[in-house]
Structure formats: structure tokens, C-alpha cells
Amino acid sequence: MKILVVCGHGLGSSFMVEMNAQEALKNLQAPADIEVEHSDIMTASADMADLFICGRDLEENAQRLGEVVILDNILDKEELQKKLEEKLKGMNIL
Amino acid sequence: MNSILGFFVDVFSQPAILVALIALIGLIVQKKSAADITSGTIKTILGFLVLSAGAGVVTNSLEPFGKMFQEAFGVQGVVPNNEAIISIALKDYGTTAALIMMFGMLVNILIARFTNLKYIFLTGHHTFYMAAFLAILLTVGNITGTMTVVMGSIILGLIMAVLPALGQSTMKKITGSDQVAIGHFGTVSYWAAGEIGKLFSGKSKSTEDIKFPKGLSFLRESTISISLTMIVLYIIAALFAGPKFVHSELSDGTNFIVFSVIQGVTFAAGVFIILTGVRLILAEIVPAFKGISEKLVPNTKPALDCPIVFPYAQNAVLIGFFVSFITGVIGMLIMFLVGGVVILPGVVPHFFLGATAGVFGNARGGIKGAIAGAALNGILVTFLPLLLLPFMGDLGAASTTFSDTDFLAVGIVVGYIAKFLGLAGVIAAVIVIGVLGVLLQKRSNKAVGEEK
């Protein structure tokens, strides 16, 4: 299973969210084989990952990607962990 | 002996190798597996080379742009471009620059270890440019020999710690945390943009509240918006220069609109390549930095390149670039009317510094703050180079100069002090700036404590 965090440039905020997501997965005791990476919204395509994470500002652009977690505040670790937990449970991974 | 020194100079004058060394140390400190250490180190070098390749593409696409401007306004102007001036300077100052860079980074680590200025400056290419710049400045100021390296390293290490501290209070507002600092030598612009933005505090909406119409959400994709911006700028410049000039001198007969579109998108392609490179480097450096800072220098923050703030306020990025560039064009017209040296607007500094100043201004004073901050940056990068020219020595005739605000500010301060007060004056200035930096950081730490 692979998670891709995307933002406009694929540099700053997606990288920060990637590190937060790794922490959240550890807290959730998710399977260790879940990979997390980051990229920019333009190069991201649906086949690049099973689940995508992005901020509210990219909601429209991310619709084409499939399974997406939308964050209201990209720096909020609690929101990220809660939404990841729901999503992963829905996907029968947790 | 000389060959050993030569080896070290080669190592430290190759930013790719130098940054890879930092990644290597970080990965070793983290006790990673041999496979992880090897791949992480190679990826860092790879990232740096990808970045340089992208910078080449950007520079190539900017060249005809500069020529169009020169033709349009009929002036032999000075083009502020770090890469150009550095490539000329390194012929005479290469070794001194490499030594200043190496020891400057050591001084930075020592300052972070023993004072409250806990910032490690990680934007390697800017460190290298500043090292070369200090080599020129001190030599022109008659501080020569070993003293150049000693003073250069101390000044470099000091500004690598003090400048991120200057930007940190606004950085906290931008990122919503105290984890990263700005490590880019445009900090004087960013700080000034934040300060002028405070005038509009609470009186203006954030740039990010601007609701772009739904059909415009594709502008969020930065490469698309950069392409569109650059195409428009190229076409305007081409119209001013005259299609005839473009056809005969630049495009080999290709229609000027086709040429402008290709050059505009090429610029965006260059930025795209640069971002890929930066992504590769950061992926190793930031976790590696965690290794270094946690084990060797506790509680330090990485000071990172300016695009780190772009995702936090993407509208401010576009507004900042536009406003700064337009201010630069107006400034150029004023210099043209007054006569004398004309500083041409450099698209690269207006893009990176203008955009970042826009983000800083927005964090303090919304849309109005972003516009005021970016305009202030436009004024600084347009007029400060005039004050710097006397300290460029023989390089002053090279019709290019440093572009970013901190180079200009450091150059003017160190240049005038070295000229009128000599070595003693420079030493006194270093002590004063160091003490001021420590005291200001103390105050800001205290303010944070009270907020909690």
C-alpha cells in the first residue's frame, strides 16, 4: 500500500505532511509496509498511489486521483491522524 | 601538501559533494544501514546536479529576455545575477571562497552549539555565493592573506545564524510552528516585508482568502501559472524590443510570439527541473539534519531555501512576484530618466525574493501587506546595487552584480566599514552584530515563553 502526499510545488508542505503521516501511521500501529512519499499536484496521477493526501486548497485538482484525504489544516497532526484512521479503516487496512 | 589542499578545495568548491557530505554525516549519525547511507548520499549528489541542470535551463531562457529589455530601452544596464558574477569571481577568488565556506559552516555549527542562535543554514549554494562575495569584499577592503579567510569565515558563520533569527518571528506565523527557519540570503527583504506588513495588521484579508473562480483552479499548479506568467512577460518584452529585433537577433527567424511561448514555457520547465532536484536533496538533508541536530547540536532548527514558504500562501507568491517585478521596471525607468547606471530587473530575484516577501507581508498584513512587502523588495533589489558598485573592485566593470538583498546589505555594511575603519572596524562590527543577535533572540524566546 502506498500513500502520496501532494501540494502545489511538491516541496515544503507535502514533505512536512509526509513526515507527520509517518508519525501518525506509527501511532495507529498501521502495517509497516505502508509507504509514504510526496510530490506536486501536477505530476501526481491516480496510478502513483492507493491513497492521496492534500490540503483543502487542492480539493478540486485532486478529484481525479481517486481515494483522497482532504486536510483543512495541513499542519494539524490530530486532524491528519483522525482522518487517516477513518480512511484506512474504510479501506480495511486497519 | 598542495595536492591535499587542492583536494579539499575541490571537495568544498563542489556544492554537490559538500551537501552530500552533510547528508552522509547525518545518515551515519542516525546509524542507518550501509544501503540507506549509500543511496541517500548518491541521491543528494544527484539532486544537486539535477538542480544545477534546471538552473542552466532557467538561465538560458532568461538570456534572450535580458537582451529584449536592453534593446527595448536602449541602455547598457547591469544585470543582477548571482550565478554570472560568481562564475567571473571564482577565477581569482576560488580557493579563498572554498576555505571561507568550509570554516564558515563550522563557525555556524559552533554558534548554534554555544549561543541561543540555534539555526543551521542549509541552503548550500547561497553559502557558497556569500563565501565568494566575502572574499571579494575583504580583498577590495585591503584585508588580505590568512586574515581574509579568518574574518570571512567568522562573518559568514555569524550571518548564517543571525539572519534566520531575523526572519523567525514571521516564519512562525507563516508555518504555524517553530520547526523551520528561512535560510536564504534575501532575509533583509523578508524581514522588511513582515515589518511593513504589520502596518496593515488586521485591516486586510489574507491573500489566501481570494477565491479564484472554479475554472481557475488549474493556476494552483505552479508550473502552469509560472508558464503563463512568463509567456505574458516575454511577449510584452518582445513587443517593446520590436518583432524585427527578435526575429533577426534572437529567434533565428522564428515568429516572436512562437519564440516567446517556447521561452516562457522553457523557463517553467527549468523551474520544474529545479524543484525535482530540490525534492531529492531535501528528502535526505532534512531527516539527516534531524540526525545531526539531535545528536551533535541539540535543539537547532534547519534554515531552508525560500520555496519552503511558497505552499503556505500560493496566491501571495504570484502577487509578490508581479508587484516586485513591476516595481523593478518602474525603478529601472526612473534610473533611465536620471541617467547613469541602470540596474535591469532580474526576473530570478524578483521571482524568488518578491514571492517570499509577498508571503511574509501577507502573514503580517494580508493582501495589502503582501503588496507593500513585495513592492519594498522591488525597491531594495533595484536601488541597493548602486551603492554596492564601488566595492566590486575590477568586477565592477563586468556589467553584472549580486542580486539578493542580503548580499547587497552585507556588502554595503562590510564594504564601507572596511574602507573607512579597516580591520579593527570589521572586528568591532562582528562583535556588535553577534551580541545584538544573541540579545534579540533572547527577547524573542522570552516572548514565546510568555505566550505559552
Side-chain angles (χ1 to χ4, degrees), chain A residues 8-13 15-16 19 38-43 57-58 60-61 64 74-75, chain B residues 175-176 214 217 220-224 272 275 278-279 282-283 286-287 307 310-312 314:
Chain A
H9 279 69
L11 280 179
S13 53
F15 188 27
M16 225 162 284
M19 290 195 284
H38 69 284
S39 181
D40 64 302
I41 181 74
M42 200 183 83
T43 23
D57 57 331
L58 292 178
E60 298 254 322
N61 312 50
R64 61 183 158 87
I74 55 163
L75 292 164
Chain B
T175 62
K214 284 216 164 178
S217 67
R220 289 275 183 205
E221 310 193 3
S222 66
T223 316
I224 307 285
F272 183 76
L275 293 181
V278 173
R279 218 171 285 150
L282 289 186
V286 175
F310 291 178
Y312 293 101
Q314 301 186 14

Side-chain angles (χ1 to χ4, degrees), chain A residues 67-83:
Chain A
E67 292 285 348
V68 187
V69 169
I70 305 281
L71 300 175
D72 293 319
N73 175 2
I74 55 163
L75 292 164
D76 186 345
K77 289 183 187 173
E78 276 173 35
E79 182 193 351
L80 174 66
Q81 185 166 332
K82 213 178 109 220
K83 287 188 170 168

Side-chain angles (χ1 to χ4, degrees), chain B residues 347-361:
Chain B
V347 179
V348 175
H350 281 297
F351 177 72
F352 287 106
L353 276 76
T356 313
V359 176
F360 272 67

Side-chain angles (χ1 to χ4, degrees), chain B residues 174-323:
Chain B
I174 294 169
T175 62
S177 73
D178 199 7
Q179 302 300 310
V180 289
I182 187 86
H184 190 257
F185 287 139
T187 323
V188 170
S189 278
Y190 312 149
W191 171 77
E195 292 306 302
I196 204 170
K198 282 181 185 168
L199 299 178
F200 306 100
S201 169
K203 290 179 203 149
S204 181
K205 280 197 304 183
S206 164
T207 53
E208 307 316 293
D209 292 337
I210 301 173
K211 284 274 177 279
F212 277 104
K214 284 216 164 178
L216 285 178
S217 67
F218 67 96
L219 285 176
R220 289 275 183 205
E221 310 193 3
S222 66
T223 316
I224 307 285
S225 49
I226 292 174
S227 299
L228 286 173
T229 316
M230 291 310 292
I231 290 172
V232 170
L233 288 175
Y234 266 102
I235 291 179
I236 292 173
L239 283 173
F240 268 104
K244 233 184 216 166
F245 171 79
V246 177
H247 293 163
S248 63
E249 299 292 325
L250 300 174
S251 72
D252 253 343
T254 306
N255 177 279
F256 76 97
I257 293 179
V258 178
F259 182 71
S260 298
V261 170
I262 294 291
Q263 293 300 326
V265 181
T266 304
F267 180 90
V271 173
F272 183 76
I273 299 171
I274 292 177
L275 293 181
T276 309
V278 173
R279 218 171 285 150
L280 277 168
I281 297 169
L282 289 186
E284 306 307 325
I285 286 291
V286 175
F289 178 83
K290 271 192 164 168
I292 297 179
S293 63
E294 281 163 13
K295 300 278 164 59
L296 300 178
V297 207
N299 305 320
T300 44
K301 300 177 197 32
L304 299 168
D305 202 351
C306 66
I308 211 86
V309 303
F310 291 178
Y312 293 101
Q314 301 186 14
N315 297 337
V317 166
L318 281 182
I319 294 172
F321 170 46
F322 267 121
V323 171

